[in-house]
Amino acid sequence: MNRKIIDAHSHLWLQQDTVVDGMPVRTLANGRSLFMGEIRQMIPPFIIDGRNTAEIFLSNMDYAQVSAAVITQEFIDGMQNDYLLEVANRYPDRFFVCGLCEFRRPGYAAQARELAARGFRAIKIPAQRLLLKEGRIYLNSDEMMEMFRFMENNDMILSIDLADGDSQTGELEEVIQECPGLKIAIGHFGMVTRPNWLAQISLARYPNVRIESGGITWLFNDEFYPFPGAVKAIREAADRIGMDKLMWGSDYPRTITAITYRMSYDFILKTNELSESEKDRFLGENAASFYGFRELIELPYIKNMSE
């Protein structure tokens, strides 16, 4: 395989120990976590200590021939800024990392400036977590706009996941119009299996906006591999906004409790619905350009014992 593959949406953490919407998230044994009131298989059961490390991910990446990955963040994993900076410094050609601020309380604009000073070149907003019972945090609020203008002026990338449908697209569209130089990647393929998902996809009609598919195999989990619905959705989005606006993402490691890491993109390789050029762009070329990856490693195929 000659193409260089980049994963535009993945996660790392050393330990989950946080609270979201008043509910605890805690690392347990054998890949399980206490997740907001129930025990869930958060990562594969052979990761018995619950440490979702860069080294384990690199082993998966090398096996699956994935050259590089973008590490995003989510409140359910807790703040991983310190660890991700270590990862970026240790493996600069393999990982692009996003910083996370505490957006649920005032003061995050100052946090974003501090993260930039520490070396982060991107900020992640799990915006679906900002519809709080005690009051919604709007993406076009004064403090958010202050942060976005700072990011635009300092060539930082915004990685963002939105709530289902169009509940936040109007706010984000205002941000896009106010900050036309701010590069934005919208995750989870617009929450593709939810109503009105194309409202999120349509935001990529703006030159500075991209869509990444992190979690698409989770969203189409009911139909399972080879995910024909996911392929159809990618085709529909490409026809609407162009394949140059779309990037592959896995949502590793949560998605590989159901499938292998390679399976999270292998269904793209096997489909006849996309041309080879479209596969090249979706699986790596678009992300390389957007995130600025330069020296991408070439990985050999390692034959399985079962072959």
Side-chain angles (χ1 to χ4, degrees):
M1 184 171 61
N2 294 323
R3 59 175 54 94
K4 304 284 182 65
I5 297 177
I6 298 173
D7 188 340
H9 187 127
S10 58
H11 300 272
L12 296 175
W13 63 80
L14 293 181
Q15 183 177 14
Q16 292 176 310
D17 184 9
T18 189
V19 175
V20 177
D21 294 335
M23 304 289 284
V25 182
R26 301 279 187 275
T27 293
L28 304 176
N30 301 330
R32 299 172 184 172
S33 292
L34 174 62
F35 180 73
M36 303 174 75
E38 62 178 330
I39 294 176
R40 301 287 290 272
Q41 193 71 45
M42 186 67 62
I43 54 179
F46 50 78
I47 307 179
I48 59 175
D49 62 0
R51 289 168 59 89
N52 171 37
T53 66
E55 288 72 26
I56 293 175
F57 191 19
L58 282 169
S59 182
N60 274 283
M61 290 167 64
D62 289 352
Y63 170 73
Q65 297 175 277
V66 174
S67 297
V70 178
I71 309 300
T72 71
Q73 294 200 58
E74 230 275 30
F75 288 136
I76 63 173
D77 303 325
M79 297 283 194
Q80 302 295 326
N81 293 325
D82 292 344
Y83 178 54
L84 294 190
L85 272 184
E86 292 179 17
V87 168
N89 290 330
R90 200 179 310 150
Y91 308 106
D93 295 331
R94 304 299 300 274
F95 294 119
F96 180 100
V97 301
C98 300
L100 178 65
C101 306
E102 181 43 273
F103 295 106
R104 295 166 294 187
R105 292 191 293 272
Y108 48 82
Q111 293 174 34
R113 289 191 291 271
E114 292 171 3
L115 290 174
R118 294 178 65 187
F120 281 99
R121 294 183 289 140
I123 299 291
K124 174 61 182 280
I125 302 181
Q128 76 275 27
R129 306 287 181 192
L130 300 183
L131 309 181
L132 305 174
K133 295 177 182 178
E134 60 269 27
R136 176 171 175 167
I137 310 297
Y138 288 91
L139 297 173
N140 55 355
S141 68
D142 289 344
E143 186 171 6
M144 282 286 189
M145 294 308 299
E146 174 190 346
M147 182 185 73
F148 294 141
R149 291 188 183 99
F150 169 81
M151 293 175 63
E152 180 184 28
N153 292 334
N154 288 272
D155 297 321
M156 299 183 75
I157 293 174
L158 171 62
S159 173
I160 188 167
D161 299 334
L162 298 176
D164 294 359
D166 62 355
S167 60
Q168 293 174 308
T169 54
E171 300 164 41
L172 186 57
E173 185 164 16
E174 183 176 327
V175 173
I176 294 167
Q177 293 171 342
E178 287 289 319
C179 302
L182 176 63
K183 295 169 70 174
I184 301 173
I186 299 172
H188 294 162
F189 217 71
M191 293 301 292
V192 57
T193 55
R194 310 294 195 257
N196 207 18
W197 66 281
L198 286 170
Q200 296 188 33
I201 301 299
S202 294
L203 290 176
R205 69 186 184 277
Y206 290 96
N208 55 321
V209 182
R210 301 292 184 272
I211 305 293
E212 45 94 339
S213 72
I216 198 168
T217 60
W218 149 60
L219 289 161
F220 283 96
N221 183 66
D222 288 348
E223 70 175 30
F224 205 65
Y225 186 89
F227 306 108
V231 173
K232 180 181 177 182
I234 293 166
R235 178 74 273 161
E236 184 174 2
D239 290 343
R240 176 173 291 241
I241 60 170
M243 185 59 77
D244 290 343
K245 293 299 190 80
L246 305 180
M247 304 181 290
W248 170 69
S250 70
D251 213 2
Y252 174 99
R254 282 179 271 270
T255 47
I256 66 165
T257 57
I259 58 175
T260 68
Y261 184 48
R262 186 180 181 92
M263 287 168 70
S264 64
Y265 75 80
D266 186 66
F267 72 99
I268 298 295
L269 296 181
K270 288 183 166 56
T271 184
N272 293 320
E273 298 298 316
L274 305 175
S275 70
E276 291 304 305
S277 173
E278 288 175 321
K279 293 174 185 179
D280 287 341
R281 283 175 279 164
F282 182 68
L283 290 173
E285 290 179 357
N286 294 341
S289 175
F290 187 77
Y291 289 101
F293 286 104
R294 294 290 180 264
E295 301 297 326
L296 290 172
I297 188 173
E298 187 168 337
L299 296 160
Y301 177 74
I302 304 300
K303 193 173 182 179
N304 291 322
M305 282 296 294
S306 58
E307 292 182 77

